[in-house]
Amino acid sequence: MTDSGSKIAVVTGAGSGIGRAVAVELLRAGWSVALAGRRPETLEETAALVPQSAFLTVRTDVSKPEDVAALFAATVDRFGRLDLLFNNAGTFGPGGVPVEELPYDAWRHVVDTNLNGAFLCAQAAYRQMKEQDPQGGRIINNGSISAHTPRPHSVAYTATKHALTGLTKSLSLDGRPYGIAVGQIDIGNAATDMTARMQTGALQANGAVAPEPVMDVADVARTVRHMAELPLEANVQFATVLATAMPYVGRG
């Protein structure tokens, strides 16, 4: 633990969007946070939103095992242990591309980031949480509404998010003997740069293009913090947080 006794978190994809919002929420709540992402300048921008907070920025490409190993080594070296991984880094990949036209390289990039990257970070967190004293910790995977049902032309993103649900369940089971709680948050239409197009028009299953409601990303961050601050004897296995009127339940 740090001298202040604060909890220690790693947040991937912390330079923007949901990752930034969650990192800021945790920092404001007194957590010490390792901010991970591919662009150091955006990580510093995230940290600057909470002056005088306890943070570490680590340039990380989660699809590279050596980057992930360096991230967790730096976190433990700086803060002494790990209490939370918010496994958030991800990409949509090319939008609007029919499955028959999707290049293999584009498929591979989405799989490497969303699935392989999530596995590598979870594996590193699991190892640390199992070995540290006191033992245990929490992993929260960022799933998606697409972990339940797809959007048109989203085969790579949807496949990885369905796979992430299996990763969550398996890690949750394997973590039981070591006090490692693993859950997943599935998010629909949080207002970020990545979802800006939803408000101007998104392709629907019937072929129409229609604007969709969004919600404040801060509401997602508060939900993640609630999950993170439960005692390890309690776990939110799956949480779904979405814009109330988005076309998901029923016929939209």
Side-chain angles (χ1 to χ4, degrees), residues 205-223:
N206 64 2
V209 175
E212 294 186 9
V214 297
M215 63 176 171
D216 192 331
V217 70
D219 294 323
V220 174
R222 284 191 288 270
T223 304

Side-chain angles (χ1 to χ4, degrees), residues 45-243:
E45 289 170 4
T46 297
L49 295 172
V50 191
Q52 299 180 335
S53 58
F55 70 89
L56 172 71
T57 62
V58 185
R59 186 198 175 281
T60 309
D61 180 340
V62 298
S63 70
K64 296 182 178 179
E66 61 274 19
D67 278 19
V68 172
L71 165 63
F72 285 87
T75 301
V76 175
D77 182 63
R78 170 68 174 82
F79 297 119
R81 63 176 285 113
L82 178 65
D83 298 294
L84 171 69
L85 164 65
F86 181 47
N87 220 353
N88 166 74
T91 181
F92 284 132
V97 179
V99 62
E100 70 274 16
E101 298 176 12
L102 183 70
Y104 177 71
D105 285 349
W107 164 273
R108 183 64 181 268
H109 176 65
V110 176
V111 172
D112 280 345
T113 303
N114 295 4
L115 181 57
N116 294 341
F119 164 73
L120 289 170
C121 290
Q123 183 183 54
Y126 187 100
R127 285 170 174 162
Q128 173 59 32
M129 291 170 179
K130 181 179 177 182
E131 294 171 0
Q132 65 193 8
D133 184 21
Q135 191 178 62
R138 190 179 304 274
I139 299 169
I140 300 174
N141 292 323
N142 185 352
S144 170
I145 295 299
S146 292
H148 302 267
T149 189
R151 288 186 177 277
H153 306 322
S154 66
V155 64
Y157 183 78
T158 298
T160 59
K161 293 303 183 177
H162 274 65
L164 200 62
T165 297
L167 180 68
T168 298
K169 290 180 178 179
S170 189
L171 288 169
S172 183
L173 177 60
D174 291 344
R176 286 178 185 173
Y178 311 109
I180 302 172
V182 185
Q184 180 171 315
I185 183 167
D186 296 324
I187 302 162
N189 287 13
T192 67
D193 291 343
M194 288 182 70
T195 59
R197 63 185 177 85
M198 301 298 180
Q199 298 177 71
T200 58
L203 181 63
Q204 306 296 306
N206 64 2
V209 175
E212 294 186 9
V214 297
M215 63 176 171
D216 192 331
V217 70
D219 294 323
V220 174
R222 284 191 288 270
T223 304
V224 173
R225 180 184 164 196
H226 166 71
M227 296 169 70
E229 293 186 341
L230 288 170
L232 291 178
E233 294 77 19
N235 186 38
V236 176
Q237 188 69 73
F238 292 97
T240 302
V241 183
L242 71 167

